[in-house]
Amino acid sequence: MSSLLFPLGWQHYLAGGLCIGLGVALLYLATGRLAGMSSVFSSTWSYVSARAFFQQPRWLGSRGWRLQLALGLVLGAALWWLTLGPAEPLSTAVPAWRLLLGGLFAGFGARLAGGCTSGHGICGIGSLKMPSLLAVLTFMATGFATAQLLAALGVAP
C-alpha cells in the first residue's frame, strides 16, 4: 500500500514537505511576504501583458522577488533530480488533453479563490488567515465530491 501511494518512497515526500514548510516560514519571518505560486504566474504576466489586471500595483511591485522565487523552485527541483532523483524520467499515462483541461480548471479556480491550493494551504493557513482555511476546506470538499462523482461515472485516470 505504501509503495502505491509513494512510488519513490515516503522519505522524498517528507523531505519535500519539510523543505517547502521551512522555505515558506523563512520567507515569511524574514520579509513578511507570502509565497503563493499562482501569484507568481499573475505577476510574471505583468512583464508582457498590458491588460489592466496584470498592471495592478500588487503585481508590478512584487514581480521581481516572485520571479526569483519561481526560478529558485525550478533550480531546486533540478538539483534534486540530479542528485537524488530516479535514473528514468517519471511519466504518466494520463492523456495530455486531460492534463491540459485539469490545468485550465485549476488555474481558473485559483484566480476565482484568490490563490491556489498550496498558497492557501501552506502559506495562508500557516499565517493563520481564516479565508485560507475556508478556501482549503472548499477545495478539499470539492475534490472529494468530484473524485466520487467521476468514480461513479467510471472515469479512471
Side-chain angles (χ1 to χ4, degrees):
M1 181 67 176
S2 177
S3 64
L4 182 65
L5 293 174
F6 306 107
L8 299 178
W10 60 269
Q11 299 89 347
H12 294 279
Y13 299 95
L14 177 62
L18 288 173
C19 287
I20 290 170
L22 288 173
V24 166
L26 182 62
L27 178 67
Y28 186 70
L29 291 174
T31 67
R33 296 174 174 161
L34 296 175
M37 297 316 312
S38 60
S39 299
V40 170
F41 183 76
S42 296
S43 66
T44 302
W45 272 105
S46 70
Y47 283 110
V48 294
S49 175
R51 296 185 64 113
F53 177 80
F54 298 112
Q55 295 303 314
Q56 297 177 47
R58 65 180 174 152
W59 302 137
L60 296 175
S62 65
R63 63 186 185 182
W65 73 264
R66 289 185 190 278
L67 191 57
Q68 291 175 1
L69 177 68
L71 292 174
L73 290 172
V74 170
L75 291 175
L79 180 64
W80 171 82
W81 185 270
L82 293 172
T83 57
L84 301 170
E88 294 296 320
L90 299 175
S91 63
T92 179
V94 177
W97 70 269
R98 283 189 185 178
L99 296 173
L100 181 62
L101 186 62
L104 289 173
F105 278 124
F108 178 76
R111 287 294 50 155
L112 188 64
C116 61
T117 52
S118 62
H120 281 295
I122 298 169
C123 303
I125 290 178
S127 58
L128 304 177
K129 297 193 182 298
M130 184 58 73
S132 290
L133 176 61
L134 295 174
V136 169
L137 292 174
T138 302
F139 295 150
M140 293 184 71
T142 305
F144 292 146
T146 302
Q148 292 300 315
L149 175 65
L150 292 176
L153 294 174
V155 177

